[in-house]
Amino acid sequence: MATPVREAVIAAILRETTTIGVRYAPRERTVLARRTVEVATRYGTIAVKVASDGASIENAAPEYEACAAAARQHGVPVKLVYAAALAAFDGTRAGG
């Protein structure tokens, strides 16, 4: 089904570039539910993004900017703060 926005973008691409055709296809995405929790580390409190499918946690990732800021403040590599945040998160899961 054509939409005005898609038609306008296609027209601009064909008009402004050397291409002679534009491919497009509908896309779908399935995402896990997300929430943010804060964990205490020796470098301070770090936010951790947690993705889950119901009660099962599928992925957890510390917020990069929080890790980078704590690393700068403490003069350590970001990867140390990141690892500490993951360890703290794992500790909260094991402990309750």
Side-chain angles (χ1 to χ4, degrees), residues 2 7 34 42 46 66 75 87:
E7 294 303 317
R34 298 177 192 164
R42 65 185 293 187
I46 304 293

Side-chain angles (χ1 to χ4, degrees), residues 74-88:
H74 292 275
V76 298
V78 174
K79 66 182 179 179
L80 289 182
V81 178
Y82 192 95
L86 276 180

